Amino acid sequence: MVEKPKRVLALAPMPPEACAYALARYSRSPDSIRESLDWVRRHDSSRFLEHYYFQYGHASIADLGHLALCFEGVSELAATEIEDEPLWDGQAKSSRYQDFSRAPAVIPPELTPAQTQTYLRIAAQLLATYSRIHEAVSRLLAEKLPRPVDMPEDAYRRNLAARAYDASRYLLFLGVPTNVGQVTSIRTLEKQIRRLAVSEYAELRELAEEIRAALAAPPACAWYEGSPAEAVAPTLARFAEPDEYQRSVRERLREWARDHLPPPRGEALTAVDLIRPLNQEADAVATLLYPVTDRPFRELYELALEWSPARRREVLELAVAGRGERDELPRAFRSAPYAFDIVMDIGAWRDLHRHRRCHQYRQAFTDRLGYDVPPLVAEAGLQREYRDAIEAALAATAALPAPAAHYLLPFAMRSRFLFKMDFAEADYICRLRTGVKGHFSYRRIAWEMKLALEREEPELGRLIQATPPWIEDPLRR
Ligand SMILES: Cc1cc2nc3c(=O)[nH]c(=O)nc-3n(C[C@H](O)[C@H](O)[C@H](O)COP(=O)(O)OP(=O)(O)OC[C@H]3O[C@@H](n4cnc5c(N)ncnc54)[C@H](O)[C@@H]3O)c2cc1C
């Protein structure tokens, strides 16, 4: 019997630039993939990528090569910035699995030796209180929640410990170390390097350089026998330049906001405020100003609606001035029907930040919006100790230079974040993040999002099958 020719061919993992070249050539020649691979073996992928991707800007070619990268011993702050790409796949190590006795804190490179001492002293105090609270809350939970007969002892201990971490993690701070593993296309990786290279945080700027160095060298970890000698992605290492356009837009908008905005309205804080921005121009203006101010989105949107067209144009033009042929418009020009302006603790945001089918904007981390006390901490009688640790950290941040001072902000601190999305993503987030396995802090936010949608869009909002925060199953993970 004649064997049917294979129609589906799996390729062994390849260097990402060679893979991009092979697949790009495959789509532009009559050859089979086998011939394209032979061709690529005999030709220089670097020259192809340099020519078509970096010089002609055929951006989609770079979507054809993927790469796994791991970041070890970076701060939680750096992890959130690394993850801040919509087309990004990855996971960060949960703080539950991090051994803080080995590496308590990532030191922001901006700090002087004297400031570093203060930083490490406060970091040690926060971590010591974190451990004490974890122990006390674990004991409290063991008293309150006896082991169900059908639950193995080790699963029971694990679940109790996880719940206790839910409370103690409020004392972790943005400078604690974590690990991130990511898989991205080289197109996303280029954007990531360019963005990190103009970050306001020195750690991120250093990481951008370290990524380039890792790409210019053979892989640090090999799967198959014998380490490959080829550089991982040499063309990307050479051509990914800092995104100066993004940096200049940020600086211009910040200056404009400082000089032109009226005094703040000073309204009461709302955890979740849902706005449906129907005017696209005012929406873009408000979204451009949001990350460079500390105003609620509603206030900025209403201001932009009141302004003359000429004033709105001023802001819009600041955002496109100096834009190069290959520069993407700032993220603020992306819109969606629902804008959720959320005031939540940094810990809850770290989790919600991971949703990619939405557009996210963050204001500077702050100590102005207060902090939360988890009910279990109060129940364990440790409220005073908890507050003292946080207040000491806040006092120390006041003496550190911005933005490096953010590294000492505990996860308990509230900040302001804007999430724009369509109904499908709102449904996804509300269902997933109200589930009983989740952290009580983001469960409350996701529940508030559903309630806000129900008020604005009763017929759609009622379709969301979310779990109310009062339904609990603390022994389920
Ligand atoms: C209980 C719990 C524990 C967790 N623990 C950890 C942890 O320890 N470490 C960690 O790193 N993360 C953790 N996460 C986060 C998790 O890994 C996800 O990052 C997060 O839940 C986002 O969900 P998502 O990827 O399903 O969806 P989203 O990013 O919201 O995307 C929604 C859907 O759209 C799809 N999608 C996304 N982008 C696109 C696109 N551009 N085009 C088409 N489809 C797209 C997704 O595949 C998904 O199906 C945890 C989450 C939960 C709920």
Side-chain angles (χ1 to χ4, degrees), residues 334-354:
R334 301 205 174 269
S335 61
Y338 306 113
F340 293 92
D341 188 13
I342 305 179
V343 175
M344 63 182 139
D345 62 80
I346 295 173
W349 167 73
R350 258 172 76 253
D351 295 327
L352 294 187
H353 178 227
R354 297 295 306 286

Side-chain angles (χ1 to χ4, degrees), residues 157-183:
R157 292 276 149 218
R158 229 182 8 254
N159 290 339
L160 280 188
R163 288 300 168 196
Y165 281 122
D166 282 354
S168 56
R169 86 161 195 200
Y170 279 66
L171 287 175
L172 294 179
F173 46 97
L174 283 164
V176 294
T178 187
N179 296 355
V180 179
Q182 69 172 38
V183 182

Side-chain angles (χ1 to χ4, degrees), residues 26-42:
Y26 181 51
S27 70
R28 290 163 178 80
S29 80
D31 291 349
S32 136
I33 187 65
R34 294 180 203 281
E35 284 137 0
S36 275
L37 290 176
D38 282 341
W39 172 278
V40 169
R41 272 195 204 96
R42 286 181 278 109

Side-chain angles (χ1 to χ4, degrees), residues 277-288 300-301 304-305 307-316 332-333 335:
L278 299 177
N279 181 312
Q280 290 300 298
E281 194 185 323
D283 183 20
V285 168
T287 313
L288 283 164
L300 291 168
Y301 180 64
L305 281 177
W307 286 342
S308 66
R311 172 139 289 202
R312 284 196 294 271
R313 197 176 312 129
E314 257 179 62
V315 177
L316 296 174
F333 286 99
S335 61

Side-chain angles (χ1 to χ4, degrees), residues 87 91-92 94 354-357 425 428 432-433 442:
L87 289 175
Q91 302 259 302
S94 165
R354 297 295 306 286
H355 289 281
R356 298 154 295 170
R357 248 185 184 177
E425 185 69 354
Y428 184 74
L432 181 73
R433 296 300 188 167
Y442 68 62

Side-chain angles (χ1 to χ4, degrees), residues 93 95-104 177:
K93 185 175 292 210
S95 51
R96 290 205 296 279
Y97 303 111
Q98 202 73 36
D99 180 358
F100 298 117
S101 63
R102 288 206 304 206

Side-chain angles (χ1 to χ4, degrees), residues 312-432:
R312 284 196 294 271
R313 197 176 312 129
E314 257 179 62
V315 177
L316 296 174
E317 283 182 357
L318 287 178
V320 293
R323 182 180 171 208
E325 205 181 315
R326 293 188 55 207
D327 288 322
E328 274 186 15
L329 272 179
R331 202 181 276 185
F333 286 99
R334 301 205 174 269
S335 61
Y338 306 113
F340 293 92
D341 188 13
I342 305 179
V343 175
M344 63 182 139
D345 62 80
I346 295 173
W349 167 73
R350 258 172 76 253
D351 295 327
L352 294 187
H353 178 227
R354 297 295 306 286
H355 289 281
R356 298 154 295 170
R357 248 185 184 177
C358 51
H359 312 301
Q360 296 194 28
Y361 313 86
R362 164 172 86 70
Q363 294 189 343
F365 297 117
T366 179
D367 57 5
R368 274 187 329 100
L369 299 176
Y371 58 87
D372 288 314
V373 182
L376 277 170
V377 169
E379 220 181 305
L382 292 169
Q383 199 172 151
R384 188 67 268 148
E385 198 169 339
Y386 173 90
R387 285 189 184 280
D388 287 348
I390 291 192
E391 296 297 338
L394 297 185
T397 57
L400 297 179
H406 296 161
Y407 281 73
L408 263 193
L409 287 178
F411 288 175
M413 302 309 299
R414 300 186 201 114
S415 286
R416 190 180 278 286
F417 309 94
L418 181 67
F419 287 67
K420 290 187 187 176
M421 63 189 78
D422 58 20
F423 178 71
E425 185 69 354
D427 171 79
Y428 184 74
I429 292 180
C430 293
R431 280 169 70 124
L432 181 73

